[in-house]
Amino acid sequence: MTITFPTVRCHVLDTGYCLASEHHLVRGGARRTIECHSLVALLQHPTHGWLLWDTGYAPRLLDVTRGWPFRLYRVATPLRITPSRAVVDQLGDFGITPRDMRWIICSHFHADHIAGLHDFPDAQFIATRAAYEDVAARRGLQALRRAFVPALMPEDFATRARLLDEPTGPELPALGPTYDLFDDGSLLLVPLPGHARGQVGMLVRTDNRPLFFVADGAWMRRSIREQRPPHPITSLVVDDMDAVRATLERLHAFSAACPDVTLVPTHCPEAYAQHVWHT
């Protein structure tokens, strides 16, 4: 018997970028400044409606990083954000409004992935319990150490959140068990530890080809292809550098085992050039 899975419409959107040195993002990278766009996925499930993979940058991030200590976030990652690139301001291109968004999947809680959460008052949030519990009580420098800005979290986040515990869904090669989000194989979340506590990636069965959004499991595809971790200086902001390297190895092995799947790191210039939807 042939098993068929529903497919999901997927649009990759750009929400703005920060400036970073390539040699910090990937060991052996050039000493040049590059644009690190924050990509999100706008998805339409045939049964469960509209959902987002992360919300990326939004102008609110500029407002909440004016004072100490979060102004240091801007120093570390110079921001280039415009209102027109916020997800909420791109929805009209697809004939929808914020009220149509039913689900928002948070890959992790770094500020460049959650700055638009406030724009979706009716959505249900999905994240791992480990990711949420790691940041929920953090304030000030303890929050900044996790690249987390508490003001970006809606006050009712906890009451609107579906928090995931241990994955028990179908296994992916080299990556292990997944969270089968709708129990239909269309959206599989998989733990990608290291960069942030409780981080997940998302494998999507789209109309055209499977896409694997790896969040910050790697900052560049080159890191996965060539097994090049980021510069040691990034240990100041990541959760576990040993786990970062292990996740890169597992992503490399997965890519070799599943060459039909396209990997999409959130900040990769190559992924930005290949996948971003433009009006």
Side-chain angles (χ1 to χ4, degrees), residues 135-187:
V135 301
R138 291 179 183 267
R139 298 294 182 270
L141 288 172
Q142 287 296 314
L144 185 64
R145 171 66 179 80
R146 295 295 199 192
F148 173 63
V149 180
L152 296 175
M153 292 283 276
E155 292 183 2
D156 62 349
F157 183 93
T159 62
R160 293 163 56 194
R162 173 183 168 189
L163 299 178
L164 307 175
D165 292 303
E166 293 301 313
T168 58
E171 292 200 11
L172 296 179
L175 296 173
T178 61
Y179 306 94
D180 190 348
L181 198 56
F182 297 127
D183 295 319
D184 62 7
S186 62
L187 294 167

Side-chain angles (χ1 to χ4, degrees), residues 15-254:
T15 63
Y17 64 91
C18 73
L19 301 177
S21 176
E22 183 181 292
H23 87 287
H24 287 164
L25 302 181
V26 56
R27 194 82 57 88
R31 291 181 177 271
R32 60 172 180 164
T33 299
I34 63 174
E35 297 177 359
C36 290
H37 291 260
S38 188
L39 307 183
V40 307
L42 175 64
L43 307 162
Q44 187 180 23
H45 188 279
T47 303
H48 297 280
W50 291 96
L51 61 154
L52 281 170
W53 164 255
D54 286 338
T55 60
Y57 286 126
R60 184 176 294 101
L61 183 57
L62 297 175
D63 296 332
V64 299
T65 55
R66 295 185 189 279
W68 178 264
F70 296 105
R71 187 166 183 81
L72 294 173
Y73 185 93
R74 292 202 208 182
V75 174
T77 60
L79 302 173
R80 301 294 184 268
I81 300 173
T82 60
S84 64
R85 294 263 57 88
V87 172
V88 69
D89 286 312
Q90 297 189 57
L91 296 184
D93 295 328
F94 303 92
I96 57 176
T97 73
R99 300 281 180 182
D100 294 312
M101 201 60 55
R102 297 186 61 188
W103 312 84
I104 296 176
I105 304 165
C106 301
S107 66
H108 61 295
F109 290 97
H110 287 183
D112 52 337
H113 293 253
I114 64 166
L117 291 183
H118 278 280
D119 294 325
F120 299 95
D122 297 324
Q124 182 176 356
F125 304 118
I126 299 171
T128 67
R129 189 177 305 278
Y132 177 68
E133 290 183 349
D134 184 55
V135 301
R138 291 179 183 267
R139 298 294 182 270
L141 288 172
Q142 287 296 314
L144 185 64
R145 171 66 179 80
R146 295 295 199 192
F148 173 63
V149 180
L152 296 175
M153 292 283 276
E155 292 183 2
D156 62 349
F157 183 93
T159 62
R160 293 163 56 194
R162 173 183 168 189
L163 299 178
L164 307 175
D165 292 303
E166 293 301 313
T168 58
E171 292 200 11
L172 296 179
L175 296 173
T178 61
Y179 306 94
D180 190 348
L181 198 56
F182 297 127
D183 295 319
D184 62 7
S186 62
L187 294 167
L188 301 178
L189 304 183
V190 60
L192 297 176
H195 175 75
R197 191 78 52 86
Q199 178 182 245
V200 291
M202 178 180 67
L203 179 63
V204 185
R205 298 181 185 276
T206 76
D207 295 330
N208 299 318
R209 61 193 179 280
L211 296 177
F212 187 10
F213 294 90
V214 301
D216 292 356
W219 280 318
M220 302 178 73
R221 283 180 179 158
R222 179 185 175 190
S223 296
I224 299 170
R225 286 194 298 263
E226 301 177 13
Q227 291 292 273
R228 292 179 179 268
H231 190 282
I233 196 172
T234 62
S235 64
L236 296 174
V237 295
V238 304
D239 181 49
D240 183 334
M241 280 299 290
D242 289 338
V244 167
R245 289 185 284 269
T247 289
L248 278 178
E249 293 174 1
R250 292 164 60 223
L251 287 171
H252 180 82
F254 171 84

